[in-house]
Amino acid sequence: CDMVYIGTTPSSHRELVERALTAKRHVLLEKPLASTPSDADAIVTAAETARKIGVHLGLNIGMRWNPATQLLRKLLTDTSSDDNEHTVVRASLTLRFRRWPREWQQGAAWCAKRVDGGPLRECGTHYLAAVREVFGPGAVARVRATVVYPDGAAGVLAESRVDGELELRNGLIVRVTVSVDVDDNDGAARASAAAAGAGGDCYELELETKSGTVWQLYDFVKLRQRKINTQALESDEQHDTVQWKDLIDAGKEGGYGRTESVTTLCDRVRGIDVGTKSTIVTAQDGREVQRMLDGLLVSNGEWVSV
């Protein structure tokens, strides 16, 4: 064969990637890049070495080609608007789960363990990649978070709560909230999860601009918008009364971008992607996303540069 797909647990990625690239096989690697910073660095080194002899590695993560992400990026960079109209003044990334692992993952024991699984690693990687795609490579300067584990810091189970922040180089703070088992008394959280769909779970990247326009990338492939009166609305509760307008459901218009993860790697292998805007997600790209992920998990509330 010419190409292999590695979709095993993150802690096994390094060995399998190095073996495949050494055998001069192109690699489509499932996200995240690895389970540890040292393994991730080793994969980047192996991929860069292989690239020099025409052997390529691409990550299987579709936010780059997700039509909803692409539309959000286009809206934010709309040059026909006033200079400051689309300046983002508030941003949040929210992931809420009724249970972890999710219903369809109950047979995957690794998904419940912090070394390979957990909601931030498994789902947050997609949305951290979306932040990178929307704001650009290198846009996130540093991160911090407090993390709660159901069996304590010395245990093995994945996180049940993350409260953190991403600080962009332009000073914008993206609030990060990840939670499992939403409190029944938390009406706003419960309503948000129900509205988001996806079996009652909630996946949202929300950006509010200076003009009062709010965009929300939700359920991975959907984008919606609402317009708020920034002077009249003073609380989050009032915020939630404004109705959403759906802009795109990429699930109906080409999907998440998994297909492009494959086709762009094939184009790279054939040498026909030179000069195009549709390039593979490289190991270097994945490493930047994982630095955010790793920083959130290990920061213990202190800022970590990424």
Side-chain angles (χ1 to χ4, degrees):
C1 68
D2 298 318
M3 183 183 299
V4 297
Y5 168 62
I6 298 175
T8 55
T9 55
S11 59
S12 67
H13 285 183
R14 176 181 178 176
E15 178 185 356
L16 296 175
V17 165
E18 290 177 337
R19 286 170 57 186
L21 294 179
T22 298
K24 297 184 179 180
R25 299 297 190 269
H26 307 287
V27 173
L28 178 65
L29 178 63
E30 189 57 54
K31 61 79 194 166
L33 194 62
S35 64
T36 66
S38 59
D39 278 4
D41 288 339
I43 289 174
V44 170
T45 298
E48 288 300 301
T49 300
R51 182 181 59 82
K52 295 176 182 177
I53 60 171
V55 179
H56 301 286
L57 179 147
L59 277 179
N60 188 31
I61 184 167
M63 280 297 184
R64 176 164 298 174
W65 305 283
N66 180 354
T69 308
Q70 292 179 333
L71 178 57
L72 178 56
R73 181 171 59 233
K74 180 180 179 181
L75 291 169
L76 281 175
T77 57
D78 182 4
T79 56
S80 66
S81 303
D82 294 338
D83 287 346
N84 295 323
E85 181 180 354
H86 288 172
T87 299
V88 178
V89 296
R90 190 174 77 158
S92 62
L93 168 55
T94 305
L95 303 174
R96 293 193 180 99
F97 303 91
R98 292 184 302 161
R99 63 187 301 187
W100 190 268
R102 291 164 290 182
E103 283 80 356
W104 55 275
Q105 296 172 314
Q106 289 300 304
W110 63 268
C111 205
K113 305 295 179 62
R114 69 187 68 172
V115 66
D116 279 316
L120 188 59
R121 192 184 306 278
E122 179 71 5
C123 298
T125 298
H126 291 281
Y127 273 87
L128 294 174
V131 169
R132 184 180 186 274
E133 292 299 326
V134 170
F135 291 102
V140 177
R142 57 181 187 168
V143 305
R144 66 178 176 183
T146 56
V147 182
V148 176
Y149 296 99
D151 58 346
V156 298
L157 294 180
E159 70 279 0
S160 57
R161 179 86 188 183
V162 178
D163 292 287
E165 297 175 318
L166 315 175
E167 184 180 62
L168 274 58
R169 298 193 188 280
N170 64 6
L172 177 69
I173 297 293
V174 181
R175 293 185 302 168
V176 178
T177 304
V178 181
S179 61
V180 179
D181 290 329
V182 174
D183 190 337
D184 285 341
N185 295 319
D186 188 347
R190 192 170 62 253
S192 178
D201 295 336
C202 171
Y203 311 82
E204 298 174 350
L205 173 62
E206 186 168 297
L207 308 179
E208 179 182 328
T209 68
K210 187 175 182 180
S211 67
T213 298
V214 182
W215 290 301
Q216 188 182 91
L217 176 67
Y218 71 108
D219 285 359
F220 298 96
V221 295
K222 301 175 184 178
L223 184 67
R224 57 188 175 185
Q225 171 184 302
R226 61 183 175 182
K227 183 75 173 181
I228 63 173
N229 184 330
T230 56
Q231 295 180 336
L233 299 181
E234 298 178 354
S235 72
D236 288 339
E237 291 182 1
Q238 289 172 305
H239 255 271
D240 292 336
T241 64
V242 182
Q243 295 298 309
W244 289 103
K245 174 185 177 182
D246 292 328
L247 297 181
I248 189 172
D249 181 348
K252 301 176 181 178
E253 302 184 31
Y256 170 66
R258 294 291 196 185
T259 299
E260 290 84 352
S261 295
V262 178
T263 57
T264 54
L265 178 57
C266 292
D267 288 346
R268 174 63 59 87
V269 170
R270 297 187 186 107
I272 60 176
D273 70 334
V274 178
T276 71
K277 294 182 179 179
S278 182
T279 59
I280 64 174
V281 179
T282 67
Q284 289 278 15
D285 297 336
R287 186 68 185 96
E288 184 179 330
V289 172
Q290 189 166 335
R291 279 195 290 270
M292 300 182 222
L293 170 67
D294 292 336
L296 289 169
L297 289 173
V298 305
S299 65
N300 197 28
E302 301 295 328
W303 285 112
V304 175
S305 296
V306 298

